[in-house]
Amino acid sequence: MFRKYDSLIFEKSTPGRTAYQLPKLDVEEKELKDLVPSEFLASEAPKLPEVNEVDIVRHYTNLSNKNFGVDTGFYPLGSCTMKYNPKINEEMASLPGFAALHPYQEEYQVQGALELMYNLLEILEEIAGMDAGTLQPAAGAQGELAGVLLIRAYHESRGDFKRNKIIIPDSAHGTNPATAAVAGYTPVEIPSDENGLVDLDALRAVVGEDTAGLMLTNPNTLGLFDQHIKEITDIIHEAGGLCYYDGANANAIMGHAKPGKMGFDVMHYNIHKTLSTPHGGGGPGSGPIVCKEFLAPFLPVPVVEKDGDKFTLNYDKPQSYGHMKDFYGHFGIIVRAYTYCLTMGSDGLELASDYAVLNANYLAARLKGEYNMAVNTTVKHEVILAGLKDHEKLGVTTNDVAKGLIDRGIHPPTVYFPLIVDEALMIEPTETESLETLDEFVDAMLDIARVAKEDPESLKNAPLTTDISRPDETAAARTPIVKAEW
Ligand SMILES: *Cc1c(COP(=O)(O)O)cnc(C)c1O
């Protein structure tokens, strides 16, 4: 049944209706006022909905069905790596020995948890070709901040206070310039060349004594691995700066290439992307950073260390810049990521990257007849379209294509990002989707292309299958009404 709007739980309320039955009172009944001092008593009863059990169950079940997630359908949101989250991860994270831990427990009681953290960090260091790190950051963006603060601490430890700029290519993720600014630096944007890669001349022109470092998203937001990567890090190092690797796109390179070997000094992971832990809806995520040995003294405390066969939390790091987050990071997510690494093994992680890249290029090959491509080469883990062919003549925008996908049961890919591509539609299928699912997506995209030619106006009204069709998106995001007056 299709309903435009579901009533609120308050609107379902009928006085006197309840969802519970209590046993008969077997003690003397007392008035509330005889039990609770009058100054603590409210003058009127709270306005709570009065409903029976079946209505309340239906209410919340119906609400939950309005959610879209990787467990309900294809979710090819570019840059977000919405891969499937294996259920064994959940099982491990819910083991009482992990789930019921308290952060103030004594070290000797939490040896297993510390060992797991120590081991996961070692795996992350190995994948990246780095030497040390921390699991503390709560998400990718906080990992970026944790990493740039390391760069800052390094320069300052050498008495070098003149470096106030961080160089960031225009193909970077938007969090990179935001991070540089939050860390107190001036972000300096450099353009991409005609192939969508870092323009080396433009880079050489801006480096200097004021360069604190570079932040590089690689593969970049066009899905491209920068072929000049070693030259880029050399140029920055020669100027005395350090190199930050935005590793949110690690799903494209795991097991194939190590940022540490490309000359990077520090990087973050989004383990809620690359290592299959759930994300969306605001978290919790996890954005560990890993770095070269010379940056290790500045890492946030506490550091998990191994002493013989004992694990300890070391707070005694005089050069550390402090805490990044209370306690040790999002431990439940860390357990899930560790489970994923052990289930996949190193061969499995490498294979995941292979398939992520293959799937993206398969979509590109099947869609390029009807859609413009942002670049005309093979890509890594995501493919960026630049609108329908002839979209200007047809009057059908990428927004209309995205809305049309909703009516076809598919979560739209990222739209209008990266900013350097007109009419961008950024598709990241991930490795966990089958050929059949990819083909269903292609069918939907080609069907939209057909409708765009035959009846373009109909796409302007999409989606027709949702409660709300086309809200004012700015107002919906900035001034949402999330409280009913009652
Ligand atoms: C997702 C993403 C980030 C930010 O990570 P969050 O966990 O969302 O804070 C940074 N860079 C890139 C390339 C990303 O895709």
Side-chain angles (χ1 to χ4, degrees), residues 79 139-142 144 173 175-176 217 246 248-249 268 270 272-273:
S79 212
Q142 202 187 24
E144 290 176 33
H173 193 265
T175 46
N176 296 178
T217 301
D246 180 330
N249 295 336
H268 83 268
N270 295 60
H272 48 284
K273 297 179 182 172

Side-chain angles (χ1 to χ4, degrees), residues 42 73 97 135 176 208 221 234 271 300 436 450 481:
L135 301 173
N176 296 178
T221 54
D234 285 346
I271 62 178
E436 292 76 14
R450 178 187 57 78
I481 301 164

Side-chain angles (χ1 to χ4, degrees), residues 86-98:
K87 296 303 165 233
I88 188 172
N89 296 355
E90 301 305 313
E91 231 176 277
M92 294 304 115
S94 60
L95 288 174
F98 292 136

Side-chain angles (χ1 to χ4, degrees), residues 75-88:
Y75 204 154
L77 205 57
S79 212
C80 294
T81 316
M82 306 299 287
K83 63 168 77 177
Y84 174 66
N85 315 133
K87 296 303 165 233
I88 188 172

Side-chain angles (χ1 to χ4, degrees), residues 172-249:
H173 193 265
T175 46
N176 296 178
T179 295
V182 170
Y185 289 108
T186 305
V188 179
E189 184 179 285
I190 51 163
S192 304
D193 65 14
E194 65 281 3
N195 299 316
L197 304 176
V198 170
D199 184 328
L200 294 180
D201 291 334
L203 178 62
R204 284 194 193 94
V206 296
V207 292
E209 293 218 317
D210 58 359
T211 303
L214 160 102
M215 294 180 84
L216 193 77
T217 301
N218 187 67
N220 67 19
T221 54
L222 295 170
L224 301 175
F225 189 108
D226 207 300
Q227 292 162 19
H228 311 296
I229 204 137
K230 193 66 177 66
E231 277 164 273
I232 294 169
T233 56
D234 285 346
I235 291 170
I236 297 296
H237 285 149
E238 276 157 28
L242 296 186
C243 298
Y244 184 90
Y245 189 96
D246 180 330
N249 295 336

